[in-house]
Amino acid sequence: MKNEGIKKLFFRRIYKDETMKEGYKKLGKYIQQVNIRNRDLEMDTLLGVSITKKLIPSIANTIGTDMSVYKIIEKRQFAYGTVTSRNGEKISIALADEYDKALVSQIYVVFEVIDTNVLLPEYLMMWFSRPEFDRYARFHSHGSTRETFDWADLCETELPILSIDKQRELVEQYQSISNKIKVNEQICEKLEVTAQTLYRQWFVDFEFPNEDGKPYKSSGGSMVFDEELDGEIPEEWTYDSFTTISKIGGGGTPKTDVLEYWGDGEIPFYTPGDKTSSIYVLSTDKHITKEGLKKCSSKLYPANTTFVTARGATTGGISLSGFPMAMNQTCYAILSLSEFPFFTYFLTRSVIDKLKSEAIGATFEAVVTKNFDETFVIIPKNEIVFDFEEQAKSIYETILNKTKINHKLSQLQSLLLSRLATLENGNFR
């Protein structure tokens, strides 16, 4: 009880500035629940709420499920899960902005803004997107076996209700940044598909350019039978262990109780939690000092190193480092022995895909160095890989630049969200 009292006092000090300001209103006056069920089975698009605060297609198996009890959510309505104890510091809440109408599970609370001429749903979603709101919701969660932030708690949330014109201005700024991020993400996705297609054509279909610039295999290129592969490969190519052309590097963590190893460290320290949907990782939650690097078993791995998560919830997750980084012991660094980082990246992906496919029926819980040693791959001639590397390099340089731009735009978004709490009478302080 004593610790709980200290905790509450600590958080009261944190939230005091936001809960006692003039102009803050309780949200309950502006929102209402919506409980329309799929009785006529008119909808079959099922969405779930992610901890990234997005409505995404559900992966739940609905075969044999009574879909009539599911809730219908319409555009500009919200859905949120009341249970917070399983999400860490995040509360799952999202605004329906891409689908005119869809379904969500009955476990979600669906609600809407009563009067959109007074409060814009998009402005409210900006408030929900703030890390401070996640911490607020987590602190005000309650329960013994599982903690929840229920409807009554949500209605007690206080926020500044600005003039509708000011809300529109802020939403426009935020969405403008979001749109730029989305365009860059789409460009990166298309470039990644281009690179994947190129890799498949050259190293799976064996249609790399021959000396005349024509597709090798379909133009009658010489193929030889490999007994271990039990198939044909181009002449002078081999079939061998993945680790014959790649080096597997390990990681380590310096002692966490030694301040000089961490402090104001300038070396990014990659962990599985830093894995994002982007190909490149540009920021890490933790940083270590040069002294910390000396005191751990990780090396400073160069830019374009392929990182693989070795265990945990993201086992088999793959990222490219955007700049030199160290990493902890739950990851592997895959390095090319011939300075072919992008070919190595794709080859690593093929190895992980193979390991995952072999784990069907079992849980893919960990990757060990033995997995890499015992996985055999087709090894092309160096000159073919070199030509591929030159083309892939230009593609991934563009992807990296777009990702860096998005990283800065995301920081700008975060700044805009953080400043919402400083709004008074419709102006930034």
Side-chain angles (χ1 to χ4, degrees):
M1 292 296 293
K2 182 179 179 182
N3 288 339
E4 185 66 19
I6 294 173
K7 175 185 174 185
K8 288 185 179 293
L9 179 61
F10 173 73
F11 276 97
R12 281 196 195 102
R13 288 175 177 171
I14 291 177
Y15 300 125
K16 182 178 178 182
D17 287 344
E18 293 193 12
T19 58
M20 300 300 291
K21 285 182 181 178
E22 283 187 38
Y24 274 53
K25 306 291 184 182
K26 288 188 176 181
L27 184 56
K29 293 172 56 178
Y30 303 92
I31 58 176
Q32 62 187 8
Q33 286 197 49
V34 179
N35 189 16
I36 301 175
R37 303 296 175 123
N38 190 35
R39 301 299 184 197
D40 299 327
L41 300 177
E42 61 175 298
M43 297 298 303
D44 57 9
T45 301
L46 180 61
L47 305 177
V49 183
S50 73
I51 60 172
T52 59
K53 303 188 189 298
K54 298 288 185 182
L55 281 168
I56 58 176
S58 174
I59 59 173
N61 183 359
T62 58
I63 297 176
T65 302
D66 181 7
M67 302 297 288
S68 68
V69 299
Y70 279 57
K71 295 181 179 180
I72 294 177
I73 184 171
E74 298 187 6
K75 201 161 192 175
R76 303 188 84 191
Q77 291 179 344
F78 295 83
Y80 89 98
T82 59
V83 178
T84 59
S85 50
R86 64 183 63 164
N87 289 344
E89 290 298 318
K90 296 285 188 179
I91 179 170
S92 298
I93 189 165
L95 173 68
D97 55 2
E98 293 187 10
Y99 295 85
D100 290 329
K101 189 179 288 189
L103 295 179
V104 294
S105 169
Q106 62 270 36
I107 67 171
Y108 292 117
V109 176
V110 176
F111 67 95
E112 65 185 3
V113 171
I114 296 172
D115 188 349
T116 57
N117 291 314
V118 177
L119 176 62
L120 289 178
E122 295 78 10
Y123 170 76
L124 180 57
M125 190 61 225
M126 288 176 64
W127 187 264
F128 291 151
S129 299
R130 303 171 67 242
E132 293 84 358
F133 173 74
D134 287 319
R135 291 195 289 269
Y136 171 88
R138 191 70 184 90
F139 172 70
H140 285 88
S141 298
H142 49 83
S144 53
T145 57
R146 59 180 186 175
E147 295 187 352
T148 62
F149 184 72
D150 58 29
W151 176 252
D153 299 316
L154 183 65
C155 289
E156 287 295 308
T157 301
E158 297 179 348
L159 73 159
I161 305 297
L162 310 175
S163 70
I164 198 67
D165 288 338
K166 185 61 181 179
Q167 291 181 45
R168 290 193 182 103
E169 179 186 337
L170 292 170
V171 168
E172 184 179 352
Q173 291 177 17
Y174 189 81
Q175 290 184 342
S176 175
I177 299 172
S178 296
N179 290 336
K180 291 176 182 177
I181 291 174
K182 188 174 182 178
V183 168
N184 285 335
E185 287 176 343
Q186 291 172 342
I187 292 173
C188 289
E189 288 173 4
K190 290 179 180 178
L191 289 171
E192 173 74 355
V193 169
T194 299
Q196 289 175 5
T197 301
L198 187 67
Y199 177 85
R200 182 171 186 82
Q201 287 176 342
W202 286 31
F203 305 110
V204 178
D205 300 331
F206 309 129
E207 297 289 20
F208 53 90
N210 63 14
E211 294 178 353
D212 299 321
K214 296 180 179 180
Y216 181 84
K217 185 177 181 180
S218 59
S219 298
S222 179
M223 304 288 289
V224 296
F225 185 82
D226 186 279
E227 291 184 1
E228 292 184 355
L229 177 62
D230 193 26
E232 289 189 328
I233 57 176
E235 191 175 28
E236 297 185 41
W237 289 28
T238 58
Y239 185 66
D240 210 336
S241 168
F242 175 70
T243 50
T244 61
I245 59 169
S246 301
K247 180 181 178 182
I248 313 299
T253 303
K255 291 183 178 180
T256 56
D257 58 352
V258 180
L259 184 60
E260 65 178 308
Y261 297 165
W262 302 86
D264 297 323
E266 58 186 34
I267 300 173
F269 189 68
Y270 183 82
T271 70
D274 298 312
K275 173 77 177 73
T276 69
S277 58
S278 300
I279 298 165
Y280 277 99
V281 58
L282 295 180
S283 64
T284 58
D285 184 56
K286 299 176 181 179
H287 291 72
I288 59 175
T289 62
K290 292 179 179 178
E291 189 63 27
L293 182 63
K294 293 178 183 177
K295 298 297 182 179
C296 75
S297 54
S298 175
K299 295 180 179 179
L300 183 61
Y301 293 106
N304 292 314
T305 295
T306 298
F307 287 145
V308 178
T309 303
R311 58 181 180 267
T314 59
T315 298
I318 299 175
S319 299
L320 278 173
S321 59
F323 37 76
M325 295 181 180
M327 66 177 190
N328 77 356
Q329 63 277 9
T330 63
C331 305
Y332 291 115
I334 315 298
L335 301 165
S336 171
L337 296 179
S338 303
E339 301 299 322
F340 297 140
F342 302 114
F343 175 76
T344 300
Y345 165 72
F346 277 105
L347 199 60
T348 303
R349 286 178 52 160
S350 68
V351 168
I352 295 298
D353 286 344
K354 184 176 182 180
L355 292 174
K356 286 182 177 179
S357 67
E358 292 172 349
I360 291 177
T363 305
F364 190 57
E365 294 180 341
V367 180
V368 296
T369 53
K370 184 179 179 181
N371 294 135
F372 295 115
D373 290 334
E374 296 181 350
T375 301
F376 278 58
V377 295
I378 296 172
I379 302 176
K381 292 172 60 177
N382 264 11
E383 52 263 37
I384 303 300
V385 181
F386 179 83
D387 290 343
F388 170 82
E389 197 73 13
E390 287 298 299
Q391 293 194 42
K393 181 179 179 181
S394 62
I395 292 174
Y396 281 92
E397 283 179 348
T398 302
I399 291 176
L400 179 57
N401 288 334
K402 294 293 183 184
T403 306
K404 286 180 177 179
I405 291 171
N406 274 2
H407 183 63
K408 292 181 179 179
L409 289 172
S410 295
Q411 290 178 324
L412 185 58
Q413 273 189 324
S414 297
L415 178 61
L416 184 60
L417 292 177
S418 68
R419 295 180 68 190
L420 290 181
T422 68
L423 289 166
E424 288 185 357
N425 300 318
N427 296 307
F428 281 123
R429 285 197 304 165

